Structures are given as structure tokens and as C-alpha cells.
Amino acid sequence: MKKILLGIVTTIVVLAIAITNVNAATVSATKEVKKGEKVTVTVELKDPATKLRATVSYDASKFEYVANSATCGNGALVQENATTAGTVTASAATTATVQKMTFTFIAKETTDASNFTISNLNPSETIDPATVSVKVVEESKPEDNNNGNETQKPGQEENKGDQTQTQKPSTTDDKKEKRPTVIPQAGVPYISLVVVGMAIVAIVSVKKIVK
């Protein structure tokens, strides 16, 4: 019985050591975005390498791949193949080292969960899990506070006030100032009438003095 228990314990220890020594890559992505926003999917190796290749499979009805968006950093030249909708493969090589590669997508439609799956990883590392899910929600729209009424433009009230002042009705004094100084029936100016009267008075006075 003791030998059996010892064998079980030994097996568990060996498996634990083996698991901890296995290289494990990871995949991550933006968990939730709005329709029309970008999603970044990142594949990261456990250990740096001079080359990196990965294939991303996705739902082309929900997402659109942004062409030439695959990057690795460190000046690595990235080549990609995205001719088939729903799949994109990118590979990079450099004299330096790279450890992760990013892919960029645009959310086209709403979804509760859409998967991005990584495959063809080189250098070969275990990815567990190899799939990451992204949720896409509807783009929020600003609330309409006008309730169908036209928005009043700035300065509209001031313009109305100015217009009211401009269209002020004429006063009685204004009408008097514009009234012509003539006798209505004869059409003779008041000044001319006064001059004629003064002339008549002067003639009569002269005659009286002569007599």
C-alpha cells in the first residue's frame, strides 16, 4: 500500500515539473467595444525569438481586418496574407528578438461573443486557451432634448429686439417735422405771405408820411 501511495505522489510531482517547464504562449484582445471601434488581438510568446508567425481566424460577418496592421516591434519586417475573409496570417523575422504580434480589426456588427482563434504558431508554443472572445455593443447615440422643437440660435432674441426698435412707429412730432410749411388750399409758403404783408404795411406807412 505504501509503495502505491509513493508511486502516485512521484507521478504527480513529475507531471507538475513537466507542466511548469512547457512554453506557453498567450492570446488577448479587447473584451468589449462599440460598433465601429477597433479591436486589437495580441499573440505573445513566453520566450523572445528571432521569428514569429501566427494565424488568426475570425468571423468576417462581425469584424473586418485592417490591412497591413500586423506589427511585432523592434523593427521587424512583417509579411501578411489576408486574401481570404475570416483568416489572416502574419510572419516576422528580425536580427533582434520579438515576443508578441498584434492584429487590428474593426467591429462591423453587434454580438454577445465572437471568437478569435490562434493557430500555426511558430516558434511552436502551447496556447491554452487559443481562443479569445470579444463583445460588440451598439454605438451610443446622443439624447434628443429638443422634443422636435427647433433649436433657437444664439442671438435670436437680440435680433428680434433690434428689429422691433427699428420698426418703431412714427410719433406725432415726427409727422409734424415732415409736414410742408404751405397753406393747404393755396399752396403758398408761410414766409412768402409774411413778406407780402410787410410790404403792404410799409407802402401804407410811406403814403401816410408823404401826406
Side-chain angles (χ1 to χ4, degrees), residues 8-69:
I8 294 174
V9 171
T10 303
T11 303
I12 293 174
V13 171
V14 171
L15 289 175
I17 294 174
I19 292 173
T20 56
N21 288 333
V22 172
N23 290 336
T26 59
V27 55
S28 60
T30 313
K31 296 300 181 182
E32 180 176 320
V33 296
K34 295 179 181 179
K35 183 179 177 180
E37 290 184 341
K38 293 182 178 180
V39 176
T40 300
V41 177
T42 302
V43 180
E44 185 170 2
L45 300 174
K46 180 182 178 182
D47 299 315
T50 57
K51 61 181 179 179
L52 177 57
R53 183 188 66 197
T55 298
V56 182
S57 301
Y58 62 96
D59 187 348
S61 66
K62 304 296 182 182
F63 296 92
E64 178 181 353
Y65 177 66
V66 178
N68 301 316
S69 66

Side-chain angles (χ1 to χ4, degrees), residues 80-168:
E80 64 179 38
N81 181 2
T83 56
T84 302
T87 302
V88 54
T89 299
S91 59
T94 177
T95 55
T97 58
V98 293
Q99 194 166 0
K100 63 182 179 179
M101 178 179 289
T102 60
F103 301 82
T104 302
F105 301 83
I106 296 178
K108 298 193 302 181
E109 299 294 339
T110 58
T111 177
D112 290 334
S114 185
N115 294 333
F116 291 85
T117 303
I118 307 301
S119 60
N120 296 329
L121 188 61
N122 187 18
S124 181
E125 290 188 5
T126 301
I127 306 179
D128 188 21
T131 300
V132 62
S133 296
V134 176
K135 179 179 181 180
V136 181
V137 297
E138 191 69 40
E139 181 181 5
S140 59
K141 297 180 181 180
E143 296 182 359
D144 186 6
N145 295 325
N146 295 329
N147 295 325
N149 296 328
E150 183 179 358
T151 304
Q152 181 177 335
K153 297 180 180 180
Q156 188 173 2
E157 284 297 327
E158 289 80 359
N159 294 336
K160 288 184 178 179
D162 295 341
Q163 186 177 5
T164 303
Q165 294 177 2
T166 303
Q167 297 179 352
K168 186 186 297 182

